Amino acid sequence: MPALHHLALTVRDVGASAAFYDPFLTQLGYQRSGGIESPLVYLGDGPEILVYVAEGDGVSRARHQHGAPGLQHLAFKVGDAAAVDAAHRAAAGAGGAVVHPPRFYPEYADGYYAVFVEDLDGSRFEVAYIPSN
């Protein structure tokens, strides 16, 4: 079966986005490899995450709108509820928008605990603890 190797995101300002992604992705076990130039490269136990600066008229384009065509959201599964809370604090502290603060989602699964945040360009991320049954 194929495995996801990397995820590539596009942002309007790679420097400003590094200030968000560095603390947020560090809480999820990623570290930035290399400098501040595009693309930012984050390595961890999961797929690589690449952050590119927008090109052409994409630079002046408005933020991504949730529900518009494109990536709906990316979900990270973590080992405990404390990791969800830590990712929430990191994202909020780095200027990310908290869409749904950490809470339980019994409609998804028993014990499902998650937070939903957006980066500076409106890309949405979920960080979830899903206990094993």
Side-chain angles (χ1 to χ4, degrees), residues 32-113:
R32 181 158 42 99
S33 172
I36 196 73
E37 65 280 349
S38 178
L40 300 174
V41 178
Y42 293 90
L43 304 174
D45 288 337
E48 292 178 11
I49 298 176
L50 309 173
V51 180
Y52 289 89
V53 69
E55 299 175 10
D57 32 333
V59 174
S60 62
R61 188 179 50 182
R63 291 171 33 102
H64 174 73
Q65 181 180 347
H66 185 73
L71 182 67
Q72 207 256 7
H73 77 276
L74 174 68
F76 293 95
K77 182 178 176 184
V78 295
D80 56 36
V84 172
D85 294 335
H88 167 245
R89 287 189 301 274
V98 177
V99 179
H100 301 293
R103 72 173 181 88
F104 287 98
Y105 288 86
E107 63 272 27
Y108 297 163
D110 288 339
Y112 197 110
Y113 183 72

